[in-house]
Amino acid sequence: MMKQPTSMNGSSTFISIVSIAAGCLAAIIAGSFLSGAIELVTIKIFPILFPILICAVGIFLGVAAYRLSRRKLAVAGIVVNALVLLLPITFIVVEW
């Protein structure tokens, strides 16, 4: 088995952290809208659609980091984004 260069492991860790941060940002946006902290009367779809887009990018980054080096941090990024992705989708199904 060949060892990967350290620079590749470092970039995989960075991408994984960005993936987790994207999931946390999407959770904050969706959670604050669903709890009523943010009220957008004119653009009601924005707080629902924006976390879905952020989570899609986060899942893509998590998969890219996992393909670079199979780390648990990359899997955590994928899982966090997948769970946060379910929040707006559940709201859409229940509300409409």
Side-chain angles (χ1 to χ4, degrees):
M1 187 177 254
M2 295 176 48
K3 281 187 93 175
Q4 290 183 343
T6 340
S7 63
M8 191 174 287
N9 285 335
S11 64
S12 170
T13 302
F14 177 73
I15 294 171
S16 299
I17 291 172
V18 170
S19 173
I20 292 173
C24 292
L25 175 68
I28 290 171
I29 292 171
S32 62
F33 174 71
L34 296 177
S35 69
I38 298 175
E39 293 184 16
L40 293 174
V41 179
T42 57
I43 314 172
K44 255 194 172 176
I45 196 72
F46 175 73
I48 302 299
L49 186 63
F50 195 60
I52 292 174
L53 295 175
I54 290 175
C55 287
V57 170
I59 289 173
F60 176 74
L61 289 174
V63 169
Y66 186 74
R67 291 188 69 183
L68 283 175
S69 67
R70 306 201 187 283
R71 292 186 169 215
K72 291 180 183 177
L73 197 59
V75 174
I78 296 169
V79 169
V80 164
N81 282 296
L83 289 176
V84 173
L85 182 65
L86 291 176
L87 190 75
I89 291 175
T90 305
F91 178 75
I92 289 172
V93 168
V94 169
E95 189 67 25
W96 288 318

